[in-house]
Amino acid sequence: MFTGKGGVGKTTCSAATALHYAASGNTLAISTDATPSLSHIFEAAGGREPRQILPQLYVNEIGEPEVRQMWDARFGPEVYEVFSSFVDIDYPAFVEFMTSVLPGLGEEFMVDYIREMAQQGSYESIVWDTAPLGQTLGLLETPALLADHLRLAPRVYSRLKLGKSSREPVLEILRRWERLSAENMAFLRGEVDLTMVTIPEALAVRQLEGIFRELDRYGLRVRRMIINNVVKYEDSRFLQTRARQQRRYLEEIYAKYGDMDILELPMFPEEVKGVERLREVEKLLFY
Ligand SMILES: Nc1ncnc2c1ncn2[C@@H]1O[C@H](COP(=O)(O)OP(=O)(O)OP(=O)(O)O)[C@@H](O)[C@H]1O
Ligand SMILES: [Mg+2]
């Protein structure tokens, strides 16, 4: 799993890594970004189903509609049955409401989907390109929070004069959701290898601390960090200035996170797009 703040090179690193693993076995590059770009970087068509784009390399981009489907398939009808007994709402609107309003639902099901892919065992490696990390992790707590709020639920139900038969399914659904959430956290902790991507700039370095603290809170350890966009060729005043500015952030990163595997990726004169350029990145990541 490649994580980090917006625009630092997560998709680039994910794609190059997937390319690398594809040489030795079936590999799935999967993105859970609302605006996916994995397929663009490979210059291939994207899709909600895994799609083969090179020998042993598959790409899959899942977004909002897929999450809605997953939620619908697992919980939709049961929850609707209960809610529709006191709220007048048609089913599609209900699913849309639940999946867009409840924070964390999307993240939850994306983790779940990837866990399922991992368990199926059709791929030797799965490379996971995440959405920019902001509140993403905190949202994984939603089921627990929701369950807390719903401890009050019996009171609400009695006010609504719902019978016992309607109350039980909701509590059972919540328990199932809590279990699912616990399994997903265990999967993240035990089976997912996290790589942090960052760039040597003030804003990115400042944000690292918060991200690591957050990850720590969930017991998620990051083993590797990629510092992207490092100016390596100072063949102009412009680049000399940039390199000078980057130096102090590089020093800061090494001082603070020296116990991690740290790898620098140079800033290229051109954007990284297409397999040929990705191969260059691959060589640098797996020298
Ligand atoms: N080392 C590099 N040198 C030059 N351009 C780069 C480098 N790394 C990434 N880029 C370019 O920077 C842009 C952003 O990279 P990328 O899409 O990988 O970031 P991201 O972290 O996935 O962004 P987002 O948070 O929006 O998903 C892309 O146009 C990419 O080609
Ligand atoms: Mg990206």
Side-chain angles (χ1 to χ4, degrees):
M1 170 179 170
F2 287 86
T3 192
K5 100 179 199 29
V8 292
K10 298 179 293 296
T11 302
T12 305
C13 292
S14 302
T17 302
L19 206 57
H20 181 76
Y21 289 143
S24 46
N26 274 345
T27 299
L28 176 68
I30 187 165
S31 137
T32 54
D33 196 331
T35 52
S37 47
L38 253 183
S39 51
H40 294 162
I41 202 170
F42 281 114
E43 295 173 329
R48 47 172 68 177
E49 294 294 322
R51 189 186 296 246
Q52 182 166 20
I53 57 158
L54 284 170
Q56 304 198 103
L57 180 55
Y58 299 77
V59 168
N60 190 5
E61 294 167 327
I62 53 174
E64 285 273 315
E66 289 73 35
V67 168
R68 203 160 293 158
Q69 267 177 10
M70 286 185 252
W71 186 83
D72 185 9
R74 272 190 127 118
F75 298 102
E78 293 170 66
V79 181
Y80 179 68
E81 201 184 300
V82 177
F83 274 72
S84 59
S85 64
F86 55 87
V87 180
D88 187 21
I89 184 171
D90 68 20
Y91 187 65
F94 166 74
V95 172
E96 162 132 28
F97 170 77
M98 288 300 280
T99 49
S100 59
V101 165
L102 270 187
L105 212 58
E107 284 71 17
E108 188 66 58
F109 279 93
M110 283 174 179
V111 178
D112 195 58
Y113 180 76
I114 289 175
R115 183 166 64 95
E116 221 174 274
M117 290 299 211
Q119 279 171 353
Q120 267 174 23
S122 327
Y123 303 98
E124 221 131 292
S125 321
I126 297 178
V127 180
W128 180 7
D129 175 23
T130 62
L133 205 143
Q135 330 84 320
T136 320
L137 276 164
L139 294 178
L140 286 171
E141 264 186 335
T142 307
L145 279 175
L146 202 71
D148 264 356
H149 286 299
L150 283 156
R151 300 253 149 74
L152 302 168
R155 275 215 315 253
V156 178
Y157 293 142
S158 62
R159 291 235 177 118
L160 287 165
K161 304 219 180 327
L162 278 184
K164 189 172 163 29
S165 59
S166 306
R167 186 193 316 163
E168 281 310 313
V170 176
L171 295 177
E172 177 48 34
I173 287 159
L174 276 170
R175 275 192 285 270
R176 258 173 55 206
W177 193 8
E178 267 187 294
R179 274 200 298 276
L180 184 82
S181 177
E183 279 168 22
N184 286 340
M185 272 319 287
F187 168 72
L188 282 176
R189 284 194 195 104
E191 283 167 71
V192 179
D193 215 5
L194 279 91
T195 296
M196 179 69 64
V197 186
T198 190
I199 51 176
E201 284 178 17
L203 220 61
V205 176
R206 293 289 158 274
Q207 284 193 10
L208 278 179
E209 230 169 273
I211 298 178
F212 278 119
R213 207 179 311 121
E214 185 80 351
L215 289 167
D216 222 43
R217 215 155 65 79
Y218 292 96
L220 300 172
R221 224 154 304 288
V222 178
R223 273 206 251 147
R224 206 166 60 128
M225 172 137 65
I226 294 171
I227 312 175
N228 190 19
N229 274 349
V230 180
V231 174
K232 295 281 186 189
Y233 314 101
E234 305 168 35
D235 53 3
S236 67
R237 287 263 310 272
F238 178 85
L239 287 172
Q240 275 162 13
T241 309
R242 291 230 53 168
R244 194 175 342 111
Q245 197 169 53
Q246 287 192 349
R247 233 160 273 144
R248 41 192 257 242
Y249 298 115
L250 285 167
E251 279 165 19
E252 192 178 331
I253 292 172
Y254 282 104
K256 273 192 186 151
Y257 308 104
D259 51 340
M260 245 175 246
D261 276 348
I262 301 180
L263 204 143
E264 291 177 27
L265 210 53
M267 180 189 279
F268 301 104
E270 291 144 326
E271 64 179 346
V272 185
K273 204 160 170 287
V275 173
E276 216 172 293
R277 296 230 168 99
L278 283 171
R279 289 262 180 234
E280 295 300 310
V281 177
E282 180 202 346
K283 268 186 231 146
L284 292 164
L285 289 182
F286 298 90
Y287 52 89

